[in-house]
Amino acid sequence: MHGSCGVDARLFSVCFSKVYERGLKAIPLSVDLWIHYINFATEVQTADEAGQENLRSVYESAVSAAGTEFRSDRLWDLYLAWEQEQGNLKNVTAIYNRLLSIPTQMYSHHFEKFKDHVNTHLPKDILPLDEFLQLRTDVLANTPGIEPEIPGAEPDDGPPGVVPPPGV
């Protein structure tokens, strides 16, 4: 390597980062190398929003490069666990959506975990707003006995079967 990393922690992490980047450029399909790089990046990133976005970018680079490998399950699991720790349930759903389109070694395991994810969270918490509203509209339209809500109409607070007088 050119130059010296010295003892400055910031400079030291920059040097390590460059070594990882060179390694990943040489063997981008190495799931193990990506996992080591992610662990390193997790240690040196700040906990603020910018640090989270930088780390998410590393995860995205990793799954873009090596995520279609048959044995990439550990990489996906790491990404899913990190997004869950961040509380980003919609991102977790989106990651599962991508993962379940790839034939990985532990596909059945991921499918079971996805079902658990869906069954333990409300749809509004795990779906983007437009998908949630479309799903809600479809359910209301296809469920007998449920009248779809009319946008802008006032809610009916009366008991079922009681029709209020006009103008109330």
Side-chain angles (χ1 to χ4, degrees):
M1 215 185 317
H2 301 312
S4 171
C5 284
V7 290
D8 180 18
R10 188 174 49 86
L11 189 57
F12 191 66
S13 68
V14 169
C15 287
F16 266 113
S17 184
K18 289 183 186 219
V19 169
Y20 274 118
E21 289 169 8
R22 285 180 29 212
L24 291 168
K25 189 174 183 179
I27 44 175
L29 298 178
S30 173
V31 171
D32 289 331
L33 186 54
W34 275 109
I35 289 172
H36 286 292
Y37 181 50
I38 288 167
N39 290 333
F40 165 76
T42 301
E43 289 180 23
V44 298
Q45 285 300 326
T46 57
D48 62 1
E49 191 172 323
Q52 286 184 356
E53 285 305 314
N54 288 339
L55 198 50
R56 184 172 290 111
S57 175
V58 172
Y59 276 109
E60 282 297 320
S61 296
V63 296
S64 293
T68 57
E69 291 298 300
F70 184 68
R71 296 178 188 263
S72 62
D73 302 291
R74 290 180 303 138
L75 182 59
W76 288 101
D77 285 339
L78 196 61
Y79 193 8
L80 287 162
W82 181 77
E83 285 290 5
Q84 286 171 335
E85 287 171 12
Q86 305 308 307
N88 297 324
L89 298 177
K90 292 176 184 173
N91 289 0
V92 171
T93 305
I95 294 166
Y96 272 122
N97 191 36
R98 290 166 59 193
L99 172 57
L100 293 173
S101 69
I102 300 166
T104 62
Q105 186 175 25
M106 296 179 60
Y107 183 88
S108 296
H109 167 76
H110 295 303
F111 186 67
E112 290 301 317
K113 297 221 11 146
F114 174 66
K115 287 192 319 188
D116 290 343
H117 171 70
V118 169
N119 289 327
T120 57
H121 298 96
L122 296 172
K124 69 179 182 74
D125 295 333
I126 62 173
L127 294 173
L129 182 61
D130 57 333
E131 286 182 38
F132 170 71
L133 292 175
Q134 182 61 48
L135 177 65
R136 186 175 182 279
T137 301
D138 293 347
V139 168
L140 289 174
N142 294 314
T143 304
I146 296 180
E147 293 293 323
E149 293 177 13
I150 300 170
E154 293 182 26
D156 180 14
D157 294 331
V162 176
V163 178
V168 174

